[in-house]
Amino acid sequence: MSETRLIRCPACGATNRVPEDRLAVGQRPLCGRCKTPLGKPLKVTDATFAAEVERAPVPVVLDLWAPWCGPCRMLEPVIEELAAEMAGRLRFAKLNVDENPATASRFTVQSIPTLLVLRGGQEIDRMVGVLPKSEIVRRLERAVA
Ligand SMILES: [Zn+2]
């Protein structure tokens, strides 16, 4: 018997039940409603921050980025892998700081990429710059422990 995880679709918001063993072998399951791949970072804006981050049932890893930021693009595939691997335990989201200055200033984010780990909208950890995946995993495991 496999455990199931509840994973929210980043596109349509439907909650999907996904067996953990499918995620463990690196499969990217699709949303049952709209067929979007699950386990991709959700796009969050200043307007949706309260609903998607503060009221999330699990801690949220918020990737603050901007399109002109080269290091942000280096981090992006790592975040996508983690979003698939840790789906259901953590919610991964990304916020464009150029388009959403209120959230960036609320958390005094001065450089990007910054990863904020938030529980109930409160910061529990922060990683600034591009870190190795192993280091990010170590800190996230501590956050969900
Ligand atoms: Zn969907």
Side-chain angles (χ1 to χ4, degrees):
M1 273 299 284
S2 164
E3 298 279 313
T4 60
R5 285 201 220 158
L6 298 178
I7 303 179
R8 194 155 172 279
C9 173
C12 75
T15 299
N16 289 263
R17 268 176 199 282
V18 180
E20 272 198 0
D21 52 7
R22 287 182 59 194
L23 297 168
V25 296
Q27 281 190 25
R28 303 260 180 126
L30 303 179
C31 174
R33 189 197 285 172
C34 72
K35 308 299 177 203
T36 296
L38 298 174
K40 278 218 150 218
L42 189 75
K43 282 198 179 66
V44 167
T45 66
D46 285 346
T48 62
F49 184 85
E52 302 291 6
V53 178
E54 290 178 357
R55 292 197 285 277
V58 293
V60 177
V61 182
L62 187 64
D63 174 17
L64 293 103
W65 72 288
W68 46 264
C69 161
C72 297
R73 284 197 293 274
M74 289 168 57
L75 196 59
E76 193 175 6
V78 174
I79 297 301
E80 295 200 352
E81 284 173 29
L82 288 171
E85 290 166 16
M86 301 184 89
R89 298 169 64 204
L90 286 165
R91 175 178 293 178
F92 285 79
K94 51 195 302 176
L95 179 128
N96 180 327
V97 295
D98 286 348
E99 294 169 359
N100 302 285
T103 302
S105 103
R106 171 173 165 185
F107 291 98
T108 333
V109 171
Q110 282 159 344
S111 68
I112 51 172
T114 289
L115 293 178
L116 290 175
V117 187
L118 303 153
R119 193 193 298 273
Q122 300 293 314
E123 178 175 342
I124 53 176
D125 199 2
R126 169 184 301 227
M127 291 170 251
V128 179
V130 179
L131 299 177
K133 184 179 174 187
S134 58
E135 170 70 8
I136 298 173
V137 168
R138 194 180 64 76
R139 305 233 333 227
L140 294 181
E141 289 291 352
R142 200 174 56 194
V144 291

